[in-house]
Amino acid sequence: MNFRPAPVRWRTFALFLATSAFAHAAFSVGGAAYTKRIETSLLAEPQPLASVAGKVARGRKLKVKETRGSWLKVSDGRNTGWVFAGNVSENKPDDNAGADNLGLSASTTTATAAARPLTPAASDYADRRNLGDARNDLDWLNTECFQITDADVQQFLKDQKKGEFQ
C-alpha cells in the first residue's frame, strides 16, 4: 500500500488533536485535588522536566499546599511535590471507569466512545461503497497517527509552550 508523505499541516493537526488544551479548574490552597492518571509524578519543582519527588496512584486525594500559575504543590500525607493542574481534577475519578475515564460497562459507555474501535467497520463500509480514496485516506491518517511518539508530543508541547510547558 502506498502512503503519501504527511504534509506539515497534517502532522501539526494530528499533534493538535493529541494535545488539545485543557481548561484547568481553579484550585485553592487548602483544597483538594484528585489524580487523573494511572500514575502521577510529584515533581521537585514546578517545571515539566524536574526530578520526581514521588508518585501517586489514580484517584488519590491530594491536599493543595501552594499554587503557582498552572502548577500546584500538593501532598498526599507521605509525599509532597508539584503537579501540573491538567493532571488533577477537583472531583474524584469514577471507580467504575477505566484509565481513559470511560465507563467499563456497556450501560455507562456513550455511543461516541463505543464507536471508536470501529475502524474495521469503516474500512469495510468504504470497500462496499467503492470509496477507495476514503479508505486510503483513513489508512494514511492511521499510519501517520501511529508514527507520532510520546517524545514527539512532548517536544511539540515544549516548542509551543502548551500543557505543562506553559
Side-chain angles (χ1 to χ4, degrees):
M1 197 175 290
N2 290 332
F3 293 102
R4 299 174 281 220
V8 173
R9 68 179 180 273
W10 281 107
R11 286 186 194 142
T12 302
F13 177 71
L15 280 172
F16 172 76
L17 288 177
T19 62
S20 298
F22 295 99
H24 301 297
F27 295 97
S28 59
V29 174
Y34 295 89
T35 56
K36 297 191 301 189
R37 295 181 171 199
I38 291 175
E39 182 177 75
T40 300
S41 294
L42 301 180
L43 304 176
E45 302 173 62
Q47 299 174 1
L49 302 177
S51 61
V52 176
K55 295 186 178 197
V56 291
R58 181 177 182 273
R60 191 68 181 258
K61 184 177 182 178
L62 305 172
K63 182 177 181 180
V64 179
K65 296 181 152 281
E66 182 181 341
T67 62
R68 198 178 296 173
S70 294
W71 289 90
L72 309 172
K73 187 172 189 177
V74 296
S75 173
D76 74 342
R78 295 186 318 249
N79 301 299
T80 299
W82 292 89
V83 295
F84 179 66
N87 294 336
V88 293
S89 171
E90 288 182 295
N91 303 311
K92 184 175 182 181
D94 184 358
D95 289 337
N96 295 319
D100 54 5
N101 284 324
L102 296 176
L104 295 176
S105 68
S107 65
T108 62
T109 303
T110 66
T112 302
R116 287 185 186 141
L118 295 179
T119 303
S123 295
D124 180 55
Y125 178 84
D127 288 342
R128 284 186 287 119
R129 299 285 188 234
N130 198 22
L131 301 172
D133 289 340
R135 178 172 183 177
N136 289 338
D137 290 344
L138 178 62
D139 290 342
W140 170 82
L141 182 60
N142 283 330
T143 299
E144 289 299 314
C145 288
F146 287 119
Q147 290 178 9
I148 298 171
T149 65
D150 288 342
D152 293 334
V153 172
Q154 288 296 316
Q155 188 62 49
F156 174 82
L157 291 171
K158 188 175 182 180
D159 292 346
Q160 301 299 315
K161 295 180 175 50
K162 302 284 184 194
E164 299 172 51
F165 296 92
Q166 295 181 35

